[in-house]
Structure formats: structure tokens, C-alpha cells
Amino acid sequence: MSTISYRLDSKTITKKQLAKTIDHSLLQPQLTDDDVAKGCELALRYDVASVCVKPYHVAFAKSILAGSDVAVGTVIGFPHGSPTTATKVFEAGEAIENGAQELDMVINIGKLRSGDIDYVREEIRQVVAAGKGALIKVILENAYLDHEQKVAAYLAVEAAGAHFVKTSTGFAPTGATVEDLRLMRATVGPEIQVKAAHGIRTLDAILEVIDAGATRVGATATATILDDFDAKTASGERSGVGGDY
């Protein structure tokens, strides 16, 4: 379970806190085993919250990250949410057996857009159960939803017992927006966290989504973001913050 509080602020956040908001994403289809190994080593070096790898890389990533507090995450029903509920449940169970500690699942977007919120809620509930205590982040793919569908989905996530609402997969036309993040934070209760993903590649961008309510951020530009934090701290642009704790 995440230990990040819900009151992160861009003006006072430390580097350690910032690093622990990042899920370092290793989901591109072309990545080799060597690419994933290097990505896991980067995650260790920067001490991020987790790596998010494709399902077949879970055990591999676990072997590299063993003994650290960088969690292993993977995806369920990725990237379009179209597998059956039974398939998603199987994926979740297999991921846990292979060592995953966090699961980012994609809802059935078509069912949501069809108005079948009961299907969506029950599918999430079953994946939560199959996760056996793992942190469950539910990807809504906001780009395809209108306001009413977004709110219904966020409430379904909460009712089903998941831990995060998440903006997007990175495969839709658009990703995280400040407007959506604020809506997510305002809709769900304080026990549910918010994850921003897709298009967050700079320090300014990650700080903006943190101020909008995100406590986790999916990113591939992890090194760039955290190195920039160090550079701005050293130059005095972030005077008084930026220490390890």
C-alpha cells in the first residue's frame, strides 16, 4: 500500500517524496529484456515508487528489484480493456503469483460507454479479489468518456474496493489533464488515490498534476524529471526544499 499522503504540494515536496510518486513505465511493445533490466536499474538508482512492466516481465523485474522498496507493478487488460472478466481475473492471479505487488487494470471502456456500470463495477471487484491485497489502480481512459461517464466510473472504482483511479494508458489520443485530475480528486473519497499518466515528461508537468491531486504518476522520463529537480534545487530555483526527506 502506498505511504504517500494526499497533501503533496509542488512548493514543498522533497526529491524523495517526488521520486516516490513515480511509477517508472516499461510498457512499450518494442522493449527487450535488456531494456527492461536497464529500466529496473534506473528505478533502483532513483528510488521511485515502482516499475510497471508487461506481464511476462514481472518475475524478471522482481528478480532485479529484490530487497529494495521499489515495487513491481504490471498491467491487466492492457491497453484497451477488452478481455473478458475471467481473463482479467486470471491475469491478475498469475501476476500476483509471479511477484507483482501493484496492478494497473483497464476497465471495459465499451461497457461503460454502453451504460452498463454494474458490469464495470463487478469486473473491478473481481480483479481486486484476485489481487489478494495488491494495490489496484483502475485505468478509466478519460479521453473516451464524457463527464457523466467519468463520474460514474470513478464511483464504481471506489465501490469495488480498488485503491486508485487512473487517467489513461498512454495509448489513447490524450492523457492526463488537470481538469480530469481535479474531477477525480473531488469525486472519490479521501481513501482513494489518483494516478496521472500519459504525457507527463517534465518537472513542471509532474508538479502541476501533483497540485491537481495526483499521488502517483506514470512516467518514462523519470531521470529527466528528477535530474531537473536536482538542477533547480542547486541553482536556487527551489530554495528551501529538495532534500532527501
Side-chain angles (χ1 to χ4, degrees):
M1 192 70 64
S2 173
T3 58
I4 294 291
S5 79
Y6 300 113
R7 295 182 296 276
L8 294 173
D9 182 280
S10 66
K11 295 180 178 61
T12 59
I13 195 169
T14 66
K15 183 181 178 183
K16 181 181 180 70
Q17 289 172 327
L18 182 61
K20 286 302 184 185
T21 70
I22 296 175
D23 292 341
H24 185 59
S25 178
L26 297 168
L27 297 172
Q28 299 94 327
Q30 75 276 15
L31 294 182
T32 65
D33 292 351
D34 188 52
D35 292 330
V36 172
K38 289 177 180 176
C40 290
E41 290 160 5
L42 184 150
L44 283 171
R45 189 161 65 251
Y46 285 91
D47 194 24
V48 299
S50 78
V51 295
C52 191
V53 298
K54 290 171 283 189
Y56 79 92
H57 273 138
V58 169
F60 181 62
K62 186 72 173 178
S63 69
I64 298 171
L65 298 171
S68 78
D69 65 352
V70 178
V72 177
T74 192
V75 286
I76 305 298
F78 195 81
H80 302 308
S82 54
T84 65
T85 297
T87 299
K88 291 180 181 178
V89 168
F90 176 83
E91 284 186 299
E94 184 179 52
I96 297 304
E97 289 178 6
N98 288 339
Q101 299 153 285
E102 303 187 0
L103 305 177
D104 289 34
M105 71 163 288
V106 188
I107 64 163
N108 188 309
I109 302 161
K111 277 290 191 182
L112 176 61
R113 285 169 50 87
S114 298
D116 196 348
I117 195 67
D118 290 341
Y119 182 103
V120 173
R121 186 189 307 108
E122 177 60 16
E123 183 171 84
I124 298 167
R125 188 197 66 76
Q126 290 192 36
V127 171
V128 170
K132 298 179 181 178
L135 199 70
I136 309 297
K137 299 170 237 167
V138 182
I139 306 171
L140 290 310
E141 205 69 286
N142 286 325
Y144 299 126
L145 309 178
D146 63 25
H147 178 86
E148 183 178 348
Q149 291 162 348
K150 290 173 186 176
V151 170
Y154 306 158
L155 293 174
V157 171
E158 185 170 26
H163 306 100
F164 275 80
V165 284
K166 178 179 171 181
T167 59
S168 32
T169 62
F171 288 80
T174 59
T177 69
V178 168
E179 181 182 29
D180 279 342
L181 290 164
R182 288 175 177 161
L183 178 62
M184 294 166 112
R185 183 65 278 156
T187 302
V188 297
E191 72 282 1
I192 307 298
Q193 297 188 61
V194 177
K195 178 174 174 179
H198 188 170
I200 303 161
R201 301 184 181 92
T202 67
L203 177 61
D204 286 345
I206 196 171
L207 295 177
E208 184 177 40
V209 300
I210 285 169
D211 282 342
T215 51
R216 284 286 188 97
V217 179
T220 58
T222 300
T224 297
I225 290 167
L226 294 173
D227 288 348
D228 193 25
F229 189 99
D230 278 341
K232 289 186 174 179
T233 300
S235 71
E237 292 182 54
R238 296 188 56 78
S239 178
V241 298
D244 289 338
Y245 297 97

